[in-house]
Amino acid sequence: MTAESQHILPKDIFQTIFEKSPGSLLIKADIPRFTILAASDSYLEFTDTTRDAILGRGFSEVFPDSGNVDEHIKAHNVFIRVVNTGEKIDIPRYRYDIFNQQNNCYEEHHWSCSNVPIKGDDGEIAYILNTVVDITAEVKAKEIALENEKRLNLALEATGLATWELNLIDSTFSYSAGMAELFGLSPRTLPTIDILRSQITEEDMRNIILPSYHQALISGEYLYEVKVVWPDKSQHWIRTQGAIIFDDHNNPETMLGTILDITESKRDEIRKNDFIAMASHELKTPLTSLKAYIQLLAKKLNNNDDEFIANALTKAGNQVNKMANLIYGFLDLSRLESGKLQIKMQDFDINKLIAENIIETQLTNNSHKIIFNADGAIMVYADRERIGQVLNNFLSNAVKYSPKDSTISITTKTCDNEIKVSVSDNGIGIKLKDQEKLFQRFYRVDNDEIKNISGFGIGLYLASEIIQRHKGKIWVNSEENKGSTFSFSLPIE
Ligand code: ADP
């Protein structure tokens, strides 16, 4: 035995290797019959056949192409090309339906095939090695993904939503159809992110988009509404909602989200705000005169001891004050919405402000016991009038939403770099699900007890905006039927 022949494997070992190889079929290059010479076990399994049924028979005889297969990928034509060109030909995707005896129907299968020419001793192409990989599962998954994408696009189209994705590493930006129209551009254009950004005002970029991006780096989520200026100079509004995706090292990787045109609802809101601003402005003048007349009458009454008139005037004064508070609330609301709510910072003693507020509350309403143990002066740098407004809201709510003669307590506490002020009552309390929404505009708890108590749900919204403008925090702790504690904190030096 020569050294070389020691390395030659016996023929039956080759046969076994072939039979165990994945999806292989050996075909003789005998145009046009293409006789099947060998088949691997997995090939037989894919095609649901047996060696006895196919060996020695022509390929097309046992595996006929289905009628609707493209000519250039029909097995017979491909084999002829392999023999004639001597080149390997791949068919990345080929559909082959197999009859399922059990279900008595054809089942759709997809294969990826490769056809390799093999030369005989005379140098001519003598065989074709046909290998197949069953890719049915991948094809099906892709079809489902495409179908889902189609549905999503239909839904996006129907709702006027567009989706977008920004890769924060390489800055690639992609989006769904409909994005151009949201920016007033022709649907045929493919605007870049810079073009879209150039249509957002610098002010919104600075005051809304950048802060919400920085916020999203912490929370992972963002939601903002900004103005978009279309090429024809008309103003529109969009709402963007989405998330930031972080990599394993917590570095931001991708930003993605949806954009919705909210111009109509924004215009309605602007109209409503304009109306509120105009109405409350117009109401202010007659109310101021009414207040002045009541004060004048009260002064004149000093010379008169008619108890009924004195009583009626006090009540009228209280009602006018209530109305004035409401109207000023609405005015503040419209100032806030139009970005005109001003904060005038100054140094003052917050304990003194609280004491003044308590006196004022008790002047108009002596129905509750208010406890406040001030421990010296606590100086803060804030807008005295606005912080007074927040305190007044907390106090008047505590009075409104707790029983007559119950106790309201106020505490102030300084710790680290902040001062915390809390107003606690023993009133009706608030359910957990409502607590998160209390600071939203016009939110009022919907229950029978509250229905009979007047209010518009703007006090806490204004309070939260005021505290936010002071870079402070506002929150509530409450238990239904036990009571509530409303608190805010302000940074101090
Ligand atoms: P308003 O009192 O005018 O409705 P606010 O914005 O001040 O508006 O308060 C919003 C809602 O929060 C109230 O309608 C009420 O449901 C709830 N609320 C506020 N303060 C209290 C409190 N101390 N106890 C119970 N519920 C309260």
Side-chain angles (χ1 to χ4, degrees), residues 298-321:
K299 236 185 204 165
K300 290 228 162 187
L301 194 72
N302 279 342
N303 317 323
N304 185 325
D305 51 1
D306 186 328
E307 212 174 294
F308 173 78
I309 297 180
N311 225 340
L313 274 181
T314 313
K315 280 192 178 145
N318 285 347
Q319 294 305 323
V320 166
N321 282 341

Side-chain angles (χ1 to χ4, degrees), residues 326 393-394 397-402 425 427-430 438 440 443-446 450 453-462 478 483-484 486:
L326 271 180
N393 173 254
F394 281 11
N397 279 349
V399 169
K400 267 193 328 192
Y401 302 110
S402 68
D425 63 56
I428 58 174
I430 306 146
L438 287 188
Q440 290 172 8
Y443 191 83
R444 299 203 78 209
V445 175
D446 184 17
I450 291 212
I453 306 173
S454 68
F456 283 99
I458 56 170
L460 284 176
Y461 169 66
L462 284 173
S478 181
S484 313
F486 279 86

Side-chain angles (χ1 to χ4, degrees), residues 193-208:
I193 191 165
D194 290 332
I195 291 182
L196 300 182
R197 275 186 184 149
S198 72
Q199 290 182 232
I200 291 169
T201 64
E202 263 178 44
E203 202 188 349
D204 279 359
M205 206 69 178
R206 195 177 49 242
N207 298 338
I208 302 176

Side-chain angles (χ1 to χ4, degrees), residues 92-144:
R93 187 172 153 183
Y94 177 83
R95 180 172 164 176
Y96 188 78
D97 295 347
I98 297 171
F99 191 75
N100 183 319
Q101 305 279 0
Q102 253 175 355
N103 299 341
N104 197 26
C105 66
Y106 277 94
E107 270 175 5
E108 187 181 321
H109 280 261
H110 294 269
W111 293 346
S112 172
C113 323
S114 153
N115 299 290
V116 180
I118 300 172
K119 287 181 181 163
D121 293 341
D122 58 0
E124 295 296 316
I125 305 300
Y127 311 100
I128 298 168
L129 177 63
N130 169 243
T131 46
V132 297
V133 178
D134 191 326
I135 54 164
T136 309
E138 287 89 325
V139 169
K140 287 263 151 74
K142 210 167 169 183
E143 276 172 3
I144 291 172

Side-chain angles (χ1 to χ4, degrees), residues 28-45:
K28 200 170 168 191
D30 52 347
I31 302 173
R33 188 159 194 262
F34 295 112
T35 313
I36 299 173
L37 300 176
S40 75
D41 294 347
S42 63
Y43 199 102
L44 297 172
E45 206 179 302

Side-chain angles (χ1 to χ4, degrees), residues 3 10-11 27 51 80 85 155 162 222 225 233 357 380 435 484:
K11 221 175 168 184
I27 301 161
R51 243 173 226 114
I80 293 178
T85 61
Y222 58 84
E225 294 175 2
K233 301 277 176 279
N357 257 271
V380 294
Q435 288 178 22
S484 313

